[in-house]
Structure formats: structure tokens, C-alpha cells
């Protein structure tokens, strides 16, 4: 026994002497440096806007090795780790003479290895420079490397290396990867039971894998909890309660959200470790859960895509490129948010918005839904039937084709495309064709992303924003003129917010529009509240027909489910702007009671109605312009008919300039009654009396 004791003391002295020698050499010449620059690649990570992990990519050798620092881990885990593995970590310089002596004495006393003497610094040395065997020379090299590492790195940096590279079985390395795989969460907040398991596994990672050997994992965790030093670190009674907690028996998949956008982020900057996006993890998870659920009810070969954007900032907060990225039968690898398709009826709200802005119609204006011929173009309704006389409000809510084309003919298709360009969107026209009336029924190509960008203006009082791509392109407000005036936007939103939701869908206070492209190839639904816009597309990536698939029946239910599962609070639609009011049909000016076009192509209700008519504000209207608060806003003036130029008078006083436009504005001096008059080039006049509130 005395011989064993002498050998133990000699071995410990040898380790200490080796450490002292290498310390002296390393101080003098920095010879034989440790390979700290070759610690192994870490996994690339795609993060959401708040820094939460959306998706990780395995290293080139196929390992899940996520960069981890002390600040990423529960402080209680760190206390348990140091108490169990290296109690004097903050006191020694790479080797612990007391631990070596204790281990040697236990070996002599028990005839077997009871506890090791490896410090965390020595374990890091083994991780960054692995050796196949466990020979004495390998152990001496660990001692040398541990001393060198301590001289080059701070204690926190050494812990960071351990937390990143510690083995946890299979291709899992590091505490973050293990915590995500076994507990489904980041290690920032761990229970005592979870922390104990993560402390125990790196010693024998393959033998103690919970998904392969549950009993060994439980026993190892129990040994950690029973260690006296650990008991001091976790508090009285915690060990017993932790022992009663079940060890997870399965390994979970690491976060794998936003497949298409994550791939795009990696391609854009392949050498970066972290890729920050504008997505919100909670919203993204909700959209993907909706897509997964919806895909189960879709026919084979059908895919779907979704884009949700913040209408105020332009940031994409959620994006789903396909029903299933790995489903080859649905061409899941194709990101359908970026593919140009026919939008069906989803552009109609912008036609109506232009008509409202130009004073051609009001919500209760009567418009005909009957067969019509526009120089050879004969639009028909989706169900091949006609409603006869309907209000403009009903025509948009029912998505009737003929009334939409009538209005587009009046506002001019080219003017509609100009407005789209204000929003940074350029729909694709058929080759060698000028803008035509077919635009109103989907006769252009547009991506889901661009369609959502257009609708952000409706949720943002007419001001368009650029929604970027979620990764590199910067979102933000688009400088220039608005897409539509606020009053026109309010009229559109007021109509769309009253459309009946699909059967079984909750009423969330959103305005939404559906669309179905020619031949049942694309089903669309776009909805918005006062903050977020969500667009949904359903169809075949190969552009094949899907008989029976419609925007209302197929895409709209997904829209409402996605809004619900995205876990965002509903934001009310914007309040009516100054001058916005829904006027009953009986109170409309004569020229706005029925929309029609005479043989000369002029808007009229009869051949005599060519004199100017003030269509806004209506006679006797009370218009809230902020007079009571003292912060007055200008009043929008709109007329129909007459011949330019026009002279406006307010209370008998001419406004400064003649105008050739049928839209003008006037800044009142204060509240109360005012008389507004317009005179056209032929001397014909029209007047209204209004009350400014």
C-alpha cells in the first residue's frame, strides 16, 4: 500500500512539474501553442427580430454545435457544473493539485478510480484537440494544454468553449443544442432536474443518452444531484424534488422554422454565423402550424403560401413559402411568395378606391351588374349570373366583375398602374400589351409579397410601405404621394370589413378580399386590421387548374385561422379621417345616385347633366375637421361634370388659383356654417352649404 501511495504522490508531482515547465516555456517563447483557432465550425443560426432561434444548420461535418456563452445559460446550471466538475475552477491555473491528490488517494484506498482530477480547462483541451486513447501521454498533453489555455483565455472564455463543444451524444455538441433537443427550449431557464442531466451527460455521452439508455441517464443525473457540493449549490430539498422528475426519453428536432427564408439568408451571406431577420418567432410558428393543418385538407399537388407584414414598419413578421418544404409532391422547395401569378379579384379594392377618390361614386351609388361589351371585351361574373342594379358597396362585397370593369373603364387602367408604382409594385402585363380592362379581373402577374405590399397602404391610411425581403432589403416608408387618399381608403376598408367571414371563422374585425384566377388556378385571400396585413395563396406550383378551389372557399378559411394562430392582438382599423362619412342614397347628389356613362363616354345620369355638381361635401353635411380642438385640417372638395378650368369660392371669397382638376381642398378659417361654390369655364355654377365642426 505504501508503494501505491508513493506512486500516486510521484504522479501528482509529475503533473505539477510538467505544468510548471510548460508554464515557464510558454511564458518565455510561446512554443507549441494550443490550436485555439481550430476549435471547429459552429452551426449557422437564423434568428428572429428579437434574437430567438428560428432555424439552425448543421456544421459541415453534420454536427449540431451552437455557439454558447455563459450569459446564454441558466446561472444555476453554471453553479452546478462548477460544483460537480471543478470546484476550484476560479482558483487554479489549469490543473488542480488538490483534486489530483484526492483522486490518487481514492485510487489507492479503493483500488479503483472513484473520481477524476480533470479540470474544466483540461476538458476543454481534450475537446479542442481530441486524442483516440486515454494514455498517460495524452493526459500529460491535456495538462500542458490546460496551462496554455489558462494563460491565453479568461475564465469566462474557457467556460464558453466548454459550453459550446461539450459532447451530448450523437451529433449534439454544446449545452444549447442539448437543451433544445431534450427539453425543447433554450438553456436560459432550466429546472434543477434539467440542469443536473446536462451536467451529467458529457462524461459518457453515448452511454447516457436519454433517447438510447434512459436508465443510465437517470442514474447519472441522480449521481450529480447526490454530490454534496451540488447540494450546496441548489438549496435544501431541491435534489429530492428533481429526482422525482422524469428524464425525457426522446430527442426533439431543433427549431426549423422559416425554411425558405432561412435558406435565402444563408445564401446571401454564407460565411456569417448569425442571420437576423424581421420575422417574429411566435407569429412564424403560428403561420406554419396553420399551413401544416391546412395542407392535410388540400388535394395532392396543391401548395400554399403566406406573408404577414407590419403595415406601419413594412417588416415581414411571418412568411411561409410552401405547404411543406420537404414534400416533393407539392414542389415544396419552391418559394411561392416570390412567384408571379394572376391575382384574380384581389386588385378590385384599388379600382373602387380610385373611383371614390375621383368623386365618381359613393358607397350607396347604384351601379349596373348586367352583360356589357367594352369594345369587344365582355366580362362575366364568376357564377355566370347577374344581379341587376346594386350599390357600389354590394358590388365590391360580392366581388361582381362587370361593375368593377365599368369603374376601371372610367378611372383608366393606366392610372391604376401608376398608383401601384407609387407603392413600389409593378405588376407584369402580358407581352406587348398596353394596360387594359382585364387588369381588374386578374389579367396581370403579381407576387404574393407585392400584393401584401399594396394592401399595407389600405391598413396604413393610404401611405404605402416597402416590406423588404425579411433579411437584407430594408423595409420602410415609401416617399412620395400616397397610394390613395385617406377618405377613399376608409371607404374601401369600411366595405371590406363588413364582408361575412367564412363558415366557422371568428369575426376578428379585419377587412379582407378574396380572389380566384381564371381556370381555378389560384385562390387568394388578403386581410388586414389596423396593424398587420396577411396574404394567403393556394394553388399548384406548376400552374395547373384546381377545379372548385376558390378564394372564399379555400384561401379565406386559412386566412382567418392564421390570424388566430399567430397570437397577435387585434388592432382596430384606423378611425374615419376628417370628411369621411357614409351617405344614404337619398342624400346623395343627383349625379352620384346612379353611375352610368353616356354615348360620348362622359359620366352622367342623363344627357342634360353636364353642369358641374359638387359631390363632396354633400349639402348640409357636418364635417369634423378639428375646429373644436383648434387644430384644423383642410376640407377635400370633389366635383363631377362641368368643363375645366374651375373656380372655387368659399363664403363668396375665391380660392387663390384656378384648377383643372375635379379634386381640390380648402382650409377653413374656423368652425361653423360655410357656403362653397364652384364655377366652370362655361359659367355654370353649383353650391353646397356645410357645417365645419
Amino acid at each position: 500500500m505504501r508503494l501505491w501511495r508513493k506512486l500516486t504522490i510521484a504522479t501528482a508531482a509529475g503533473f505539477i512539474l510538467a505544468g510548471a515547465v510548460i508554464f515557464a516555456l510558454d511564458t518565455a517563447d510561446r512554443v507549441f501553442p494550443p490550436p485555439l483557432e481550430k476549435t471547429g465550425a459552429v452551426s449557422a443560426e437564423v434568428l428572429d427580430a428579437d434574437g430567438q432561434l428560428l432555424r439552425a444548420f448543421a456544421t459541415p461535418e453534420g454536427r449540431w454545435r451552437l455557439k454558447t456563452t455563459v450569459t446564454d445559460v441558466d446561472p444555476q446550471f453554471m453553479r452546478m457544473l462548477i460544483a460537480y466538475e471543478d470546484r476550484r475552477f476560479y482558483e487554479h491555473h489549469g490543473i488542480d493539485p488538490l483534486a489530483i491528490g484526492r483522486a490518487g488517494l481514492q485510487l489507492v484506498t479503493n483500488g479503483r478510480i472513484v473520481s477524476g482530477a480533470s479540470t474544466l480547462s483540461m476538458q476543454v483541451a481534450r475537446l479542442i484537440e481530441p486524442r483516440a486513447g486515454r494514455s498517460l501521454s495524452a493526459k500529460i498533453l491535456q495538462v500542458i494544454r490546460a496551462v496554455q489555455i489558462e494563460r491565453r483565455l479568461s475564465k469566462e472564455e474557457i467556460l464558453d468553449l466548454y459550453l459550446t463543444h461539450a459532447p451530448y451524444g450523437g451529433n449534439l455538441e454544446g449545452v444549447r443544442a442539448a437543451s433544445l433537443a431534450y427539453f425543447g427550449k433554450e438553456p436560459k431557464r432550466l429546472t434543477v432536474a434539467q440542469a443536473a442531466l446536462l451536467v451529467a451527460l458529457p462524461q459518457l455521452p453515448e452511454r447516457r443518452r436519454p433517447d438510447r439508455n434512459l436508465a443510465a441517464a437517470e442514474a447519472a443525473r441522480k449521481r450529480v444531484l447526490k454530490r454534496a457540493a451540488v447540494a450546496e449549490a441548489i438549496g435544501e430539498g431541491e435534489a429530492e424534488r428533481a429526482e422525482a422528475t422524469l428524464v425525457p426519453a426522446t430527442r426533439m428536432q431543433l427549431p426549423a422554422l422559416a425554411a425558405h427564408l432561412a435558406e435565402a439568408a444563408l445564401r446571401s451571406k454564407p460565411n456569417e454565423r448569425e442571420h437576423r431577420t424581421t420575422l417574429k418567432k411566435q407569429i412564424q410558428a403560428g403561420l406554419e402550424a396553420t399551413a401544416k393543418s391546412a395542407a392535410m385538407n388540400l388535394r395532392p399537388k396543391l401548395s400554399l403560401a403566406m406573408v404577414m407584414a407590419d403595415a406601419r414598419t413594412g417588416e415581414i413578421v411571418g412568411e411561409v413559402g410552401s405547404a411543406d418544404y420537404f414534400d416533393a409532391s407539392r414542389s415544396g422547395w419552391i418559394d411561392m411568395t416570390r412567384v408571379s401569378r394572376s391575382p384574380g379579384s384581389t386588385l378590385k379594392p384599388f379600382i373602387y378606391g380610385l373611383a371614390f377618390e375621383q368623386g365618381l361614386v359613393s358607397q350607396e351609388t347604384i351601379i349596373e351588374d348586367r352583360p356589357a361589351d367594352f369594345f369587344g371585351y365582355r366580362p362575366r361574373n364568376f357564377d355566370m349570373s347577374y344581379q341587376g342594379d346594386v350599390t357600389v358597396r354590394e358590388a365590391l362585397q360580392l366581388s361582381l366583375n362587370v361593375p368593377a370593369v365599368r369603374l376601371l373603364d372610367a378611372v383608366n387602367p393606366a392610372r391604376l398602374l401608376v398608383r401601384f408604382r407609387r407603392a413600389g409594385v409593378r405588376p407584369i402585363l402580358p407581352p406587348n400589351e398596353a394596360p387594359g380592362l382585364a387588369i381588374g379581373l386578374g389579367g396581370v402577374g403579381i407576387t404574393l409579397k407585392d400584393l401584401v405590399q399594396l394592401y399595407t397602404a389600405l391598413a396604413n391610411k393610404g401611405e404605402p410601405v416597402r416590406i423588404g425581403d425579411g433579411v437584407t432589403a430594408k423595409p420602410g416608408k415609401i416617399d412620395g404621394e400616397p397610394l390613395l387618399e385617406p377618405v377613399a381608403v376608409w371607404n374601401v376598408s369600411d366595405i371590406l370589413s363588413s364582408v361575412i367571414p367564412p363558415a366557422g371563422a371568428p369575426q376578428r374585425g379585419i377587412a379582407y378580399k378574396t380572389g380566384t384566377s381564371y381556370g381555378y388556378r389560384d385562390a387568394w385571400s388578403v386581410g388586414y386590421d389596423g396593424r398587420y396585413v396577411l396574404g394567403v395563396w393556394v394553388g399548384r406550383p406548376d400552374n395547373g387548374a384546381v377545379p372548385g378551389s376558390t378564394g372564399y372557399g379555400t384561401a379565406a378559411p386559412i386566412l382567418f385561422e392564421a390570424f388566430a394562430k399567430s397570437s397577435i392582438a387585434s388592432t382596430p382599423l384606423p378611425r374615419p379621417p376628417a370628411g369621411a362619412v357614409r351617405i344614404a342614397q337619398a342624400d346623395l347628389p343627383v349625379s352620384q345616385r346612379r353611375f352610368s356613362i353616356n354615348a360620348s363616354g362622359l359620366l352622367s345620369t342623363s344627357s342634360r347633366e353636364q353642369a358641374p355638381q359638387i359631390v363632396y361635401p354633400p349639402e348640409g353635411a357636418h364635417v369634423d375637421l378639428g375646429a373644436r380642438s383648434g387644430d384644423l385640417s383642410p376640407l377635400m372638395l370633389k366635383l363631377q361634370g362641368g368643363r375645366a378650368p374651375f373656380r372655387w369660392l368659399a363664403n363668396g371669397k375665391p380660392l387663390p388659383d384656378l384648377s383643372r382638376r375635379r379634386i381640390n381642398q380648402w382650409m377653413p378659417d374656423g368652425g361653423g356654417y360655410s357656403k362653397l361654390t364652384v364655377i366652370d369655364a362655361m359659367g355654370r355654377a353649383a353650391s353646397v352649404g356645410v357645417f365645419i365642426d
Side-chain angles (χ1 to χ4, degrees), residues 628-691:
R628 296 176 183 175
S629 65
D631 186 17
L632 275 170
S633 300
L635 175 65
M636 194 63 62
L637 308 173
K638 299 180 182 179
L639 65 89
Q640 186 174 314
R643 181 180 297 178
F646 305 103
R647 168 68 72 185
W648 284 89
L649 298 91
N651 299 318
K653 182 180 178 181
L655 299 192
D657 301 310
L658 288 171
S659 173
R660 304 195 67 83
R661 301 181 61 205
R662 286 177 166 75
I663 302 174
N664 211 327
Q665 62 180 15
W666 163 64
M667 177 63 77
D669 297 327
Y673 179 80
S674 291
K675 186 78 170 181
L676 299 171
T677 302
V678 64
I679 305 172
D680 75 352
M682 299 181 67
R684 295 171 297 186
S687 299
V688 294
V690 296
F691 296 88

Side-chain angles (χ1 to χ4, degrees), residues 44-302:
E45 300 177 33
V46 179
L47 312 177
D48 80 344
D50 301 317
Q52 297 188 77
L53 182 63
L54 292 172
R55 190 180 190 89
F57 291 87
T59 63
E61 64 269 26
R63 297 189 177 277
W64 297 109
R65 186 187 296 134
L66 305 180
K67 175 68 176 176
T68 312
T69 66
V70 172
T71 57
D72 297 326
V73 181
D74 194 318
Q76 183 167 252
F77 167 82
M78 296 305 305
R79 291 193 296 270
M80 293 172 67
L81 173 68
I82 292 172
Y84 188 78
E85 292 284 0
D86 192 353
R87 292 186 65 181
R88 283 171 289 279
F89 173 71
Y90 288 105
E91 301 165 15
H92 64 65
H93 297 286
I95 55 176
D96 185 354
L98 292 177
I100 293 174
R102 183 201 68 234
L105 184 60
Q106 289 173 338
L107 174 62
V108 172
T109 305
N110 297 278
R112 60 185 177 85
I113 297 175
V114 175
S115 64
S118 290
T119 63
L120 284 171
S121 303
M122 292 169 65
Q123 293 181 48
V124 168
R126 185 176 70 249
L127 292 173
I128 66 174
E129 196 174 21
R131 289 288 187 273
R134 302 188 65 178
S135 63
L136 181 61
S137 61
K139 183 61 69 174
I140 292 174
L141 180 61
Q142 282 183 29
V143 170
I144 294 172
R145 291 305 194 201
V147 174
Q148 291 179 310
I149 289 171
E150 288 272 351
R151 287 189 56 74
R152 287 163 172 78
L153 302 178
S154 67
K155 291 290 186 179
E156 187 168 286
E157 289 172 327
I158 293 170
L159 288 175
D160 291 348
L161 281 174
Y162 178 85
L163 296 174
T164 300
H165 294 272
Y168 280 90
N171 63 348
L172 294 177
E173 290 190 6
V175 174
R176 281 185 65 207
S179 182
L180 289 165
Y182 292 126
F183 312 132
K185 67 178 186 180
E186 294 278 358
K188 193 74 174 178
R189 297 286 182 269
L190 296 170
T191 65
V192 171
Q194 291 169 343
L197 182 64
L198 293 179
V199 168
L201 292 183
Q203 297 172 25
L204 293 169
E206 292 302 327
R207 295 183 188 178
R208 296 175 177 178
R209 283 180 58 173
D211 58 327
R212 297 281 181 86
N213 196 338
L214 186 61
E218 290 176 339
R221 185 185 69 175
K222 186 174 182 179
R223 280 194 292 273
V224 172
L225 292 169
K226 289 296 185 183
R227 180 72 65 88
V230 174
E232 294 175 7
I234 62 178
E236 186 177 355
E238 288 291 338
E240 290 75 11
R241 285 190 289 271
E243 281 186 40
T245 305
L246 294 176
V247 171
T250 58
R251 171 175 159 175
M252 290 176 273
Q253 183 183 13
L254 267 64
L257 298 171
H260 294 90
L261 193 139
E263 292 280 359
L266 201 63
R267 287 194 301 271
S268 66
K269 297 180 179 179
N271 297 323
E272 289 195 4
R273 183 181 69 83
E274 284 189 353
H275 303 267
R276 187 67 68 98
T277 71
T278 61
L279 302 183
K280 297 284 188 178
K281 185 173 184 178
Q282 186 177 29
I283 294 175
Q284 182 67 26
L287 295 188
E288 294 200 19
T290 302
K292 183 177 180 180
S293 172
M296 297 174 64
N297 299 318
L298 293 177
R299 283 178 257 176
K301 299 185 178 181
L302 260 67

Side-chain angles (χ1 to χ4, degrees), residues 224-495:
V224 172
L225 292 169
K226 289 296 185 183
R227 180 72 65 88
V230 174
E232 294 175 7
I234 62 178
E236 186 177 355
E238 288 291 338
E240 290 75 11
R241 285 190 289 271
E243 281 186 40
T245 305
L246 294 176
V247 171
T250 58
R251 171 175 159 175
M252 290 176 273
Q253 183 183 13
L254 267 64
L257 298 171
H260 294 90
L261 193 139
E263 292 280 359
L266 201 63
R267 287 194 301 271
S268 66
K269 297 180 179 179
N271 297 323
E272 289 195 4
R273 183 181 69 83
E274 284 189 353
H275 303 267
R276 187 67 68 98
T277 71
T278 61
L279 302 183
K280 297 284 188 178
K281 185 173 184 178
Q282 186 177 29
I283 294 175
Q284 182 67 26
L287 295 188
E288 294 200 19
T290 302
K292 183 177 180 180
S293 172
M296 297 174 64
N297 299 318
L298 293 177
R299 283 178 257 176
K301 299 185 178 181
L302 260 67
S303 189
L304 64 88
M306 289 184 276
V307 173
M308 179 178 276
D310 187 325
R312 298 178 187 174
T313 66
E315 295 174 339
I316 294 179
V317 295
E319 181 178 300
V320 178
S322 67
D324 185 346
Y325 184 84
F326 299 102
D327 190 342
S329 68
R330 302 180 192 272
S331 301
W333 64 87
I334 300 177
D335 184 356
M336 294 305 299
T337 67
R338 274 31 177 202
V339 177
S340 182
R341 303 297 284 259
S342 167
S345 297
T346 56
L347 299 182
K348 287 178 180 175
F350 303 97
I351 299 172
Y352 283 80
L354 266 179
F356 286 132
E357 183 179 293
Q358 294 179 20
L360 304 181
V361 293
S362 291
Q363 289 193 38
E364 298 302 320
T365 298
I366 297 297
I367 191 168
E368 293 183 3
D369 179 37
R370 294 184 175 86
D373 186 335
F374 298 88
F375 304 100
Y377 179 55
R378 300 180 179 87
R380 294 176 294 182
N381 285 326
F382 185 77
D383 60 3
M384 307 301 290
S385 65
Y386 298 92
Q387 303 293 318
D389 283 355
V390 293
T391 64
V392 164
R393 181 182 180 85
E394 292 169 334
L396 179 53
Q397 288 180 336
L398 296 173
S399 197
L400 301 176
N401 288 343
V402 176
V405 174
R406 291 185 189 277
L407 290 177
L408 182 58
D409 187 38
V411 301
N412 192 325
R415 184 172 295 169
L416 181 66
L417 290 183
V418 168
R419 294 303 179 95
F420 290 164
R421 285 197 289 273
R422 288 186 185 180
V425 174
R426 294 177 178 271
I428 300 174
L429 292 168
N432 304 316
E433 286 194 20
L437 298 178
I439 291 174
L441 307 184
V444 292
I446 194 170
T447 66
L448 178 60
K449 173 181 168 294
D450 282 346
L451 189 62
V452 168
Q453 184 160 312
L454 283 178
Y455 272 78
T456 59
L458 297 183
N460 202 34
K461 302 179 182 178
E463 297 293 336
V465 294
R466 182 175 291 102
I467 66 175
D469 61 4
V471 183
T472 56
K474 298 297 183 183
K477 183 179 178 181
I478 297 175
D479 294 329
E481 297 181 84
L483 177 63
L484 292 168
E485 292 176 355
V487 173
V489 171
W490 177 84
N491 275 291
V492 171
S493 298
D494 185 53
I495 294 172

Side-chain angles (χ1 to χ4, degrees), residues 399-638:
S399 197
L400 301 176
N401 288 343
V402 176
V405 174
R406 291 185 189 277
L407 290 177
L408 182 58
D409 187 38
V411 301
N412 192 325
R415 184 172 295 169
L416 181 66
L417 290 183
V418 168
R419 294 303 179 95
F420 290 164
R421 285 197 289 273
R422 288 186 185 180
V425 174
R426 294 177 178 271
I428 300 174
L429 292 168
N432 304 316
E433 286 194 20
L437 298 178
I439 291 174
L441 307 184
V444 292
I446 194 170
T447 66
L448 178 60
K449 173 181 168 294
D450 282 346
L451 189 62
V452 168
Q453 184 160 312
L454 283 178
Y455 272 78
T456 59
L458 297 183
N460 202 34
K461 302 179 182 178
E463 297 293 336
V465 294
R466 182 175 291 102
I467 66 175
D469 61 4
V471 183
T472 56
K474 298 297 183 183
K477 183 179 178 181
I478 297 175
D479 294 329
E481 297 181 84
L483 177 63
L484 292 168
E485 292 176 355
V487 173
V489 171
W490 177 84
N491 275 291
V492 171
S493 298
D494 185 53
I495 294 172
L496 296 181
S497 62
S498 300
V499 177
I500 299 173
Q507 176 58 266
R508 284 184 54 88
I510 65 173
Y512 80 106
K513 182 73 184 73
T514 61
T516 307
S517 68
Y518 178 77
Y520 297 95
R521 287 176 169 80
D522 308 275
W524 304 81
S525 186
V526 189
Y528 59 95
D529 60 11
R531 180 68 182 270
Y532 295 101
V533 180
L534 173 61
V536 177
W537 169 88
V538 180
R540 288 179 52 158
D542 63 3
N543 205 29
V546 189
S549 178
T550 66
Y552 187 80
T554 306
I558 298 174
L559 176 86
F560 278 81
E561 183 183 354
F563 259 115
K565 287 187 176 179
S566 63
S567 302
I568 55 174
S570 179
T571 304
L573 289 164
R575 294 173 58 85
V581 62
R582 192 190 303 172
I583 306 171
Q585 187 177 10
D587 297 329
L588 289 173
V590 174
S591 60
Q592 275 201 330
R593 292 178 185 173
R594 173 180 288 274
F595 177 84
S596 63
I597 299 177
N598 61 24
S600 301
L602 298 173
L603 298 172
S604 64
T605 56
S606 75
S607 59
R608 295 176 298 171
E609 291 172 356
Q610 298 301 310
Q613 295 280 337
I614 299 176
V615 297
Y616 189 84
E619 174 65 35
H622 285 259
V623 185
D624 184 4
L625 297 178
R628 296 176 183 175
S629 65
D631 186 17
L632 275 170
S633 300
L635 175 65
M636 194 63 62
L637 308 173
K638 299 180 182 179

